[in-house]
């Protein structure tokens, strides 16, 4: 940690104690160059990602919800739990990689569909039909045709 007074690079920690009920560490530092003391705080970065839903309301990103959605789509399908867990991890990573405080629920829905498409096409169609709320048979058929054409 650089000294804020003389910009010297090497400072010594003379005291270190937890504050804010253990959520932060307060460090007293001493600059050997200019002899001044200063304080630094070390905190866990609060990385709460908000999901913006279609109606504009927000809720915090919930890994459990993603897991439930995928579990439901994969019901009675030959997809083991480890694969589902990997999918959820990939989706979580995709959301974190956005480096945004707010992420559209549509983006998360797309990540889920991308994962399912790779793993199990029946699960994918199931999820997509609920997620995209296919209102008529035609859009549903189109989605399936797309899948077939990709093969
Ligand atoms: Zn200094």
């Amino acid at each position: 940690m650089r000294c804020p007074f003389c910009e010297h690079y090497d400072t010594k920690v003379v005291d270190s104690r937890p504050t804010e009920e253990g959520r932060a560490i307060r460090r007293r530092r001493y600059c050997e160059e200019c002899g001044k003391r200063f304080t630094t705080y070390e905190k866990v970065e609060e990385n709460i990602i908000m999901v913006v839903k279609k109606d504009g309301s927000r809720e915090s990103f919930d890994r459990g919800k993603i897991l439930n959605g995928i579990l439901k789509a994969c019901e009675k399908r030959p997809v083991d739990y480890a694969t589902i867990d990997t999918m959820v991890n990939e989706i979580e990573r995709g959301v974190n990689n956005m480096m945004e405080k707010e992420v559209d629920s549509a983006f998360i829905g797309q990540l889920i569909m991308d994962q399912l498409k790779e793993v199990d096409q029946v699960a994918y169609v199931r999820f997509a039909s609920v997620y995209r709320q296919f209102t008529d048979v035609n859009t549903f058929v189109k989605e399936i045709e797309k899948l077939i054409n990709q093969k």
Side-chain angles (χ1 to χ4, degrees):
M1 185 70 68
R2 211 167 174 173
C3 170
F5 303 103
C6 72
E7 305 259 284
H8 186 64
Y9 269 105
D10 210 18
T11 52
K12 275 196 162 166
V13 175
V14 289
D15 187 34
S16 179
R17 62 183 63 178
T19 59
E20 295 177 32
E21 293 166 331
R23 281 192 289 269
I25 302 279
R26 179 182 182 271
R27 290 209 164 95
R28 246 350 237 164
R29 289 170 186 269
Y30 169 73
C31 173
E32 287 181 309
E33 187 70 17
C34 68
K36 286 195 168 112
R37 285 166 188 264
F38 62 101
T39 307
T40 57
Y41 289 89
E42 184 183 314
K43 271 188 173 182
V44 172
E45 190 180 22
E46 284 180 29
N47 191 23
I48 297 167
I49 294 171
M50 298 304 283
V51 178
V52 184
K53 297 201 285 187
K54 253 187 229 161
D55 63 1
S57 66
R58 285 154 170 78
E59 60 180 31
S60 53
F61 176 78
D62 183 356
R63 185 192 157 91
K65 270 195 180 166
I66 309 263
L67 177 64
N68 281 337
I70 292 179
L71 281 173
K72 208 179 261 179
C74 293
E75 216 170 65
K76 292 182 184 152
R77 294 298 305 160
V79 184
D80 61 12
Y81 192 81
T83 307
I84 291 173
D85 201 46
T86 307
M87 281 193 272
V88 179
N89 287 340
E90 283 299 315
I91 292 154
E92 206 171 20
R93 192 181 310 159
V95 170
N96 284 326
N97 282 350
M98 291 277 288
M99 306 284 286
E100 300 279 356
K101 291 270 176 216
E102 293 189 335
V103 176
D104 254 21
S105 65
F107 174 74
I108 296 174
Q110 191 56 54
L111 290 178
I112 296 173
M113 286 193 280
D114 290 346
Q115 289 293 320
L116 286 174
K117 205 185 256 182
E118 295 293 317
V119 170
D120 187 283
Q121 305 214 321
V122 171
Y124 163 73
V125 172
R126 265 187 204 159
F127 182 85
S129 66
V130 174
Y131 179 75
R132 286 196 183 150
Q133 295 169 327
F134 293 150
T135 43
D136 58 289
V137 179
N138 282 341
T139 43
F140 189 71
V141 169
K142 263 184 209 154
E143 197 62 35
I144 293 171
E145 277 172 349
K146 256 196 264 168
L147 276 179
I148 294 166
N149 291 335
Q150 275 169 6
K151 277 196 170 172

